[in-house]
Amino acid sequence: DAGVIQSPRHEVTEMGQEVTLRCKPISGHNSLFWYRQTMMRGLELLIYFNNNVPIDDSGMPEDRFSAKMPNASFSTLKIQPSEPRDSAVYFCASSLWQGNGELFFGEGSRLTVL
Amino acid sequence: AQRVTQPEKLLSVFKGAPVELKCNYSYSGSPELFWYVQYSRQRLQLLLRHISRESIKGFTADLNKGETSFHLKKPFAQEEDSAMYYCALIGRGSEKLVFGKGTKLTVNP
């Protein structure tokens, strides 16, 4: 298994543009998480899904951010419009719904908004 | 509310020296605590969890409920231990894993 797959690995865009980050979880995992990593705030949980249903989106910073999981093998995180303060590394992770805390992370998508 | 605090952003030790990475938490119920590690150019991965009471790569961590701490320790640090270490907490019955801000450990030769 290739593990959690994220794309793009790097994205540079201009302020005001729409950004879409993609994630393919590990096959068979039924929980999916989106985290944002910055120097100042560390790893912040943005949203997580169980069986494709959003369970907790309290970490989504504002309405410019949205996430979807149309099926068990795909999720997107969209930022529209993007702002320079959104620059960060965005991680997707998946797990089996067991509450055992073992998440499997992707390599991350590094976003730079100019 | 769940909160994890790692007071040290950076920690530098010499090879062979003991190392302790500090972690304190705040949670009203019975939490489960974890340490995750991210080596250079690798994915963030689970290092150990408190319920397993195991030693991984020479690292151990003991949950101290009185002090609400879960410090990570290793008696003799190795250069390959250089990495970013994150302490994390999950509430029982929850899937919400909350991380501290991380400590960057550098082991010098």
Side-chain angles (χ1 to χ4, degrees):
Chain A
D1 195 330
V4 175
I5 299 173
Q6 291 186 244
S7 65
R9 293 291 312 281
H10 302 274
E11 174 93 4
V12 180
T13 190
E14 293 189 345
M15 182 173 64
Q17 297 298 305
E18 178 179 293
V19 173
T20 299
L21 307 178
R22 299 172 177 80
C23 176
K24 182 181 187 312
I26 292 173
S27 177
H29 283 187
N30 52 8
S31 292
L32 183 139
F33 305 77
W34 282 101
Y35 284 87
R36 178 172 68 176
Q37 183 185 48
T38 60
M39 289 291 291
M40 289 297 294
R41 302 169 74 94
L43 269 168
E44 301 173 276
L45 177 62
L46 301 177
I47 184 171
Y48 75 95
F49 296 83
N50 177 247
N51 291 327
N52 314 337
V53 176
I55 303 299
D56 187 336
D57 65 354
S58 59
M60 296 285 262
E62 47 197 277
D63 291 346
R64 297 184 298 105
F65 285 70
S66 63
K68 293 182 180 179
M69 192 165 186
N71 57 60
S73 59
F74 184 66
S75 176
T76 59
L77 178 67
K78 187 175 291 187
I79 308 172
Q80 165 65 10
S82 58
E83 296 183 3
R85 60 192 167 121
D86 302 330
S87 297
V89 181
Y90 291 82
F91 286 100
C92 177
S94 70
S95 76
L96 293 170
W97 181 266
Q98 293 178 340
N100 68 358
E102 183 165 12
L103 271 57
F104 294 82
F105 281 79
E107 294 180 293
S109 294
R110 182 177 294 277
L111 172 65
T112 303
V113 184
L114 303 174
Chain B
Q2 301 167 224
R3 182 168 295 175
V4 178
T5 303
Q6 293 179 250
E8 303 143 326
K9 270 194 165 181
L10 303 170
L11 183 62
S12 184
V13 300
F14 285 103
K15 176 182 172 182
V19 63
E20 180 179 67
L21 292 91
K22 291 183 168 45
C23 171
N24 289 91
Y25 67 89
S26 173
Y27 184 68
S28 55
S30 294
E32 295 186 35
L33 277 297
F34 308 84
W35 278 98
Y36 275 74
V37 61
Q38 187 174 26
Y39 300 103
S40 179
R41 298 189 182 87
Q42 293 189 29
R43 302 176 188 223
L44 187 62
Q45 58 188 288
L46 178 66
L47 178 63
L48 57 78
R49 66 191 90 189
H50 90 269
I51 58 173
S52 300
R53 293 188 163 273
E54 55 197 347
S55 173
I56 303 293
K57 299 184 178 183
F59 284 98
T60 59
D62 291 318
L63 179 60
N64 186 322
K65 292 185 178 181
E67 296 183 358
T68 59
S69 68
F70 188 57
H71 303 327
L72 183 68
K73 301 177 185 179
K74 185 169 182 176
F76 308 104
Q78 303 299 315
E79 290 180 66
E80 55 265 30
D81 296 328
S82 296
M84 195 75 183
Y85 290 82
Y86 291 93
C87 183
L89 174 156
I90 196 168
R92 290 208 184 265
S94 170
E95 282 288 304
K96 189 171 180 176
L97 190 63
V98 175
F99 287 87
K101 292 187 179 181
T103 298
K104 184 175 181 180
L105 173 66
T106 302
V107 181
N108 299 299

